[in-house]
Amino acid sequence: MQKPAETAVPLHEPIQERWSPIAFDSKPVEPDKLISLFEAIRWAPSCFNEQPWRIFVAISEDAESYGQLLDCLVEANQAWAGKAPVLMIASASTKFARNGKPNRHGPHDVGLALQNMAIQAQSVGLVTHMMAGFDIQKTRHTLQIPEDYEPMTAIAIGYPGTVEDLPEGMRERETSPRSRKSLGEVIFTGAFGTSSPLIEA
Ligand SMILES: Cc1cc2nc3c(=O)[nH]c(=O)nc-3n(C[C@H](O)[C@H](O)[C@H](O)COP(=O)(O)O)c2cc1C
């Protein structure tokens, strides 16, 4: 199913079309497409080009690695993400490699990398759904993540499924409209809370 963004002007198509479905087809993702997602991550910008992202990936054919990631998700996410053929968990370095000082942009840069990936995925026919709902301690332990990295986000990736394949209790969520704040609520000029006049232009 498609739920394109309603916008004042047209957007770059994969941005317009991207959304976070819970219905996935279990069809595997071709290796070349997976590599294109990794490259999209790799070529994201980052503060001092530190590339603070470290990303775990597992495909459903590799039951052990896939189970590791799936087990880290909260039950509400496992309920739908377990059908996606690819799972990822992204972590962020909390320190700059260059001087050991705290890197407050680490989570920001991981977000850039993941959105780069989401747009690349969308442009090759895949869908993505990011998740905060996973057990951080379990993830740290299972994946042996060192202390100076912070588990940030889990992601389900695959081809779109159909609403009918979802259990009945999940269908409404899939078909309900997407919503956003208005431009005036988030784009300011001059002072916090003052909508930019450019919005009306
Ligand atoms: C960092 C992050 C964490 C999220 N966590 C979850 C989650 O645990 N479970 C879930 O179903 N959706 C999760 N989402 C999806 C958001 O709910 C979704 O992106 C938001 O409602 C906007 O919808 P859209 O992506 O379809 O535009 C998360 C998204 C992001 C970016």
Side-chain angles (χ1 to χ4, degrees):
M1 122 162 245
Q2 300 200 318
K3 289 207 229 176
E6 289 175 13
T7 53
V9 294
L11 301 184
H12 180 44
E13 194 177 330
I15 299 177
Q16 193 101 46
E17 297 295 326
R18 185 216 61 82
W19 70 291
S20 304
I22 57 171
F24 283 85
D25 192 309
S26 55
K27 176 180 136 134
V29 173
E30 297 84 340
D32 275 8
K33 285 194 180 177
L34 268 183
I35 298 290
S36 82
L37 304 188
F38 304 153
E39 289 287 10
I41 289 169
R42 185 161 82 105
W43 285 96
S46 61
C47 189
F48 289 116
N49 197 19
E50 285 254 342
Q51 304 155 63
W53 42 79
R54 298 291 181 275
I55 319 266
F56 291 86
V57 60
I59 55 174
S60 51
E61 292 106 309
D62 176 357
E64 190 181 344
S65 308
Y66 187 89
Q68 264 189 334
L69 298 195
L70 188 62
D71 281 352
C72 291
L73 304 184
V74 298
E75 272 182 34
N77 286 332
Q78 283 175 353
W80 54 266
K83 204 170 166 203
V86 182
L87 293 177
M88 291 186 183
I89 291 187
S91 64
S93 175
T94 58
K95 292 181 189 155
F96 283 115
R98 61 204 298 272
N99 58 15
K101 290 191 173 158
N103 179 3
R104 80 180 193 89
H105 299 286
H108 170 274
D109 293 348
V110 169
L112 292 181
L114 295 186
Q115 185 64 358
N116 242 25
M117 178 188 73
I119 297 306
Q120 173 64 20
Q122 188 70 38
S123 71
V124 295
L126 298 166
V127 290
T128 55
H129 195 140
M130 299 189 200
M131 293 166 274
F134 66 102
D135 184 325
I136 303 296
Q137 286 316 319
K138 191 173 184 177
T139 300
R140 227 180 229 300
H141 179 75
T142 308
L143 303 174
Q144 302 166 49
I145 297 177
E147 285 212 336
D148 50 355
Y149 280 80
E150 182 66 23
M152 296 301 311
T153 313
I155 313 101
I157 302 159
Y159 287 98
T162 60
V163 187
E164 293 73 31
D165 291 339
L166 288 172
E168 207 154 301
M170 293 191 207
R171 289 183 195 168
E172 194 188 326
R173 171 177 174 191
E174 191 74 338
T175 52
S176 62
R178 298 170 66 205
S179 70
R180 285 299 190 270
K181 293 180 169 60
S182 67
L183 290 178
E185 287 173 278
V186 295
I187 309 293
F188 304 151
T189 293
F192 193 93
T194 304
S195 303
S196 173
L198 296 170
I199 292 164
E200 306 301 332

